[in-house]
């Protein structure tokens, strides 16, 4: 058996292990967040997918910390992947597929606690397989030290596997979570990756419709195995709670007023705009009769829009947009 | 000159007359709504389009009747129409275009007063021209007599021009303002039409992506002129205030409580979902660097989402979804 065949191979229990990873991650996240909240508990909905598969949707509401949040698990299979994926991975055409993953969005009550999104997923389709996912933070008020902590924690998880992972996937995240019509990022980013397999090609496709990939990294001599990438995905998943929980703890008790609450509701409008206009998973799910309630669990509980809003120059609200919603080198930011 | 050439001809002052029609309609609507509200006034923003053209955005906020509303006028021109329009009208390829129109969305404060949307527009591109637009109602509580009044008023305006206009354009409206992922209409409809020119083809294309047109009407022997269609568009525009104002007057003073307000905020979420996921004008505008604030003026001021919400069986809230958000033959409804 040559080295490259070894690298391509998946273990016999790959699906079971990937599923167990995302299921366990969902469990760990939910139990820690419940303890952190101290008031609300996750309510669970189990569901079946008519085309094959099932899911476990967990929603927390009206908590002390979390106004609303959802953590989803799903394991699905079917005869054919959607065209948008087959374009990226034509080798999967004509094959059935298997996918399992967990996704999460938390909308805290306090405007000082950032919204956060996480998603890790694993695909198999005929001869190929890949890992995808990421985590990104959307603060409402500009606390630089929170953002630096978040990025450094994720960077450490990445660096344990390859020094190019964090810079490549941080940039991919900045590019993906971008509202073109507002010319601003959804938040301060984190990491995002997709189509990670043994090929060593870190950046497998660009996510802005109609634009060519702006960059591409290749790890070259590094030959990655399924085990390498599974370990990497696990490290990413496990870095979420240490990246996020300290931010909640630092900000949850800060007093805020109507001004901050109204700004939070206004900024949540951008979250809705991103998820409904740009997020391909959301749009694809809605247009292909996915479970709407689980897909739209990512939307904030209360939102407002205001025509022509402009933050006062020099205010924290202006600082958020001008500095935090443009891509920054957060791990080297001086706090 | 043959009859068919006469029918194709546009008057020398077509653009000026179409522009004057939509400008005047904007003025009439704004002054009547201000008088009806009695508290808030429209604030006007004039803007220039870098590629050619200008607009007049008017927004009313925090009124007695209207929590938020916008009435837009625009007149734009450019070198080429977007691909989505050229697919429908290939004769316009290689020609510059001219477009003028008015669009409006009103979000009343009371859950008993329906949200309403209106849009009338006129296009010229090389050898061709057309009228488009419509008006549709989105109630939160099921008052059948309001819906019947709205539809009958519009029907009368249509019937004065052709007996097939109302049935064809009512159905087009039902098909267009439909949330596939919720399997429900955005509201109770009204009329919607596009690409109306001298050809007599009432239904020029289906608006659900990827689905073939389910029906097509042709007025056959009726040869329509530019003047015929301009008169029809004017009748439609002028029917808006008589269709909507009496509903406001009938419902504006009804007392409501938190339950009704919360249901209104919840249903407004569907309005956001439709506008951001399905409305081609909104999506196209956002993705092509339109004026975001004017495009998103259509979004409600305050909105909420609730995971897994189900109205109580037999309640007015259930009645809205079960009966009013499915296509109905409103003009023949027994009230």
């Amino acid at each position: 058996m040559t080295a490259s065949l070894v690298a391509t191979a998946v273990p016999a229990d790959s699906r079971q292990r990937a599923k167990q990873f995302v299921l366990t991650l969902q469990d760990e996240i939910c139990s820690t967040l419940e303890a952190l909240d101290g008031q609300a508990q996750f309510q669970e909905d189990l569901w079946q997918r008519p085309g094959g598969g099932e899911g476990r949707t967990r929603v927390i509401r009206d908590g002390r910390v979390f106004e609303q949040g959802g953590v989803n698990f799903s394991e699905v299979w079917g005869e054919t992947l959607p065209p948008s994926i087959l374009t990226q991975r034509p080798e999967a055409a004509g094959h059935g597929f298997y996918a399992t993953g967990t996704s999460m969005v938390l909308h805290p009550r306090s405007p000082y606690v950032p919204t956060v999104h996480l998603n890790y997923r694993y695909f198999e389709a005929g001869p190929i397989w890949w890992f995808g996912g990421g985590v990104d933070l959307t603060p409402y008020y500009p606390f630089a030290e929170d953002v630096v902590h978040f990025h450094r924690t994720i960077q450490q998880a990445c660096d344990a596997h390859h020094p190019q992972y964090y810079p490549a996937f941080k940039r991919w995240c900045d590019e993906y979570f971008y509202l073109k019509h507002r010319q601003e990022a959804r938040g301060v980013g984190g990491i995002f990756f997709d189509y990670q397999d043994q090929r060593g090609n870190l950046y497998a496709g660009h996510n802005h419709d109609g634009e060519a990939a702006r960059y591409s990294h290749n790890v070259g001599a590094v030959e990655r195995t399924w085990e390498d990438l599974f370990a990497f995905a696990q490290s990413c998943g496990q870095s979420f709670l240490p990246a996020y929980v300290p931010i909640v703890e630092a900000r949850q008790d800060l007093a805020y007023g109507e001004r901050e609450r109204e700004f939070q509701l206004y900024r949540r409008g951008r979250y809705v705009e991103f998820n409904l206009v740009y997020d391909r998973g959301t749009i694809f799910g809605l247009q292909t009769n996915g479970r709407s309630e689980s897909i739209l669990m990512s939307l904030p509980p209360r939102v407002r829009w205001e025509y022509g809003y402009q933050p006062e120059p020099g205010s924290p609200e202006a600082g958020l947009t001008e500095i935090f919603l443009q891509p920054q080198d957060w791990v080297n930011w001086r706090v």
Side-chain angles (χ1 to χ4, degrees), chain A:
Chain A
M1 213 181 235
T2 69
S4 94
L5 279 176
V6 171
T8 309
V10 299
D13 57 354
S14 58
R15 297 178 181 195
Q16 190 52 39
R17 286 168 67 197
K19 175 185 177 179
Q20 199 53 52
F21 153 54
V22 291
L23 263 179
T24 304
L25 185 59
Q26 186 196 34
D27 277 336
E28 288 171 355
I29 288 173
C30 289
S31 62
T32 303
L33 295 180
E34 270 184 7
L36 183 63
D37 191 88
Q39 179 177 303
Q41 294 191 311
F42 281 92
Q43 303 299 311
E44 184 173 280
D45 272 350
L46 302 177
W47 48 269
Q48 304 284 320
R49 178 174 177 269
E54 58 188 27
R56 191 167 84 173
T57 294
R58 289 183 182 162
V59 173
I60 191 167
R61 275 188 279 208
D62 300 325
R64 184 185 64 86
V65 172
F66 300 109
E67 190 174 337
Q68 186 173 295
V71 193
N72 232 337
F73 157 79
S74 67
E75 178 188 36
V76 302
W77 53 86
E79 303 222 336
T80 181
L81 284 165
S84 56
I85 296 181
L86 291 176
T87 303
Q88 296 289 339
R89 283 291 178 270
E91 310 93 312
H95 296 281
F97 73 92
Y98 171 89
T100 188
T102 184
S103 63
M104 177 199 76
V105 174
L106 301 175
H107 292 288
R109 185 177 300 281
S110 165
Y112 293 136
V113 180
T115 285
V116 69
H117 162 245
L118 168 146
N119 168 237
Y120 291 103
R121 53 189 184 254
Y122 173 68
F123 278 80
E124 289 186 5
I128 61 169
W129 54 269
W130 69 88
F131 288 91
V135 62
D136 66 284
L137 196 72
T138 305
Y140 300 92
Y141 279 84
F143 296 102
E145 59 269 44
D146 294 352
V147 183
V148 171
H149 166 79
F150 186 80
H151 271 273
R152 285 189 182 157
T153 308
I154 298 164
Q155 181 192 36
Q156 283 171 21
C158 292
D159 284 357
H161 297 270
H162 197 284
Q164 285 198 52
Y165 281 168
Y166 174 77
F169 300 152
K170 189 269 189 196
R171 190 163 171 183
W172 197 341
C173 188
D174 285 340
E175 295 195 352
Y176 184 76
F177 293 101
Y178 184 75
L179 286 83
K180 192 176 166 188
H181 67 283
R182 299 288 192 180
Q183 299 192 307
E184 64 185 36
R186 183 171 82 170
V188 297
I191 54 167
F192 181 78
F193 56 88
D194 208 354
Y195 301 111
Q196 296 301 303
D197 58 21
Q198 77 289 350
R199 302 177 195 194
N201 185 16
L202 293 199
Y203 188 76
H206 190 68
N207 282 279
H208 289 184
D209 290 339
E211 287 180 27
R214 280 187 233 159
Y215 70 104
S216 178
H217 286 271
N218 197 301
V219 295
V222 177
E223 194 153 86
R224 301 181 295 172
T225 64
W226 190 95
E227 297 291 352
D228 291 336
L229 283 162
F230 184 50
F232 168 63
Q234 288 175 291
S235 292
C236 288
Q238 285 152 11
S239 72
F240 165 66
L241 290 169
Y244 184 64
V245 171
I247 299 172
V248 176
E249 290 172 336
R251 307 296 165 202
Q252 62 184 348
D253 295 324
L254 287 183
Y256 63 89
E258 194 186 342
R259 166 184 170 152
E260 291 78 20
R261 174 65 172 173
E262 288 289 287
F263 184 64
Q264 178 197 44
L265 297 184
Y266 175 78
R267 290 295 322 168
R268 282 176 174 177
R270 298 291 211 274
Y271 217 83
V272 174
E273 291 175 24
F274 181 84
N275 286 15
L276 296 184
V277 176
Y278 297 101
D279 190 58
R280 297 197 298 184
T282 302
I283 296 165
F284 178 80
L286 294 181
Q287 292 182 341
T288 54
N289 303 314
R291 188 175 186 265
S292 298
E293 288 294 306
S294 294
I295 297 165
L296 298 177
M297 191 185 71
S298 64
L299 300 181
R302 287 180 188 269
V303 187
R304 72 183 188 93
W305 276 271
E306 179 180 332
Y307 174 82
Y309 169 80
Q310 292 288 348
E312 197 184 317
S315 66
E317 293 83 4
L320 183 91
T321 314
E322 289 160 14
I323 298 169
F324 282 60
L325 301 184
Q326 302 302 325
Q328 306 289 356
D329 180 14
W330 288 111
V331 293
N332 295 309
W333 194 264
R334 290 167 187 271
V335 285

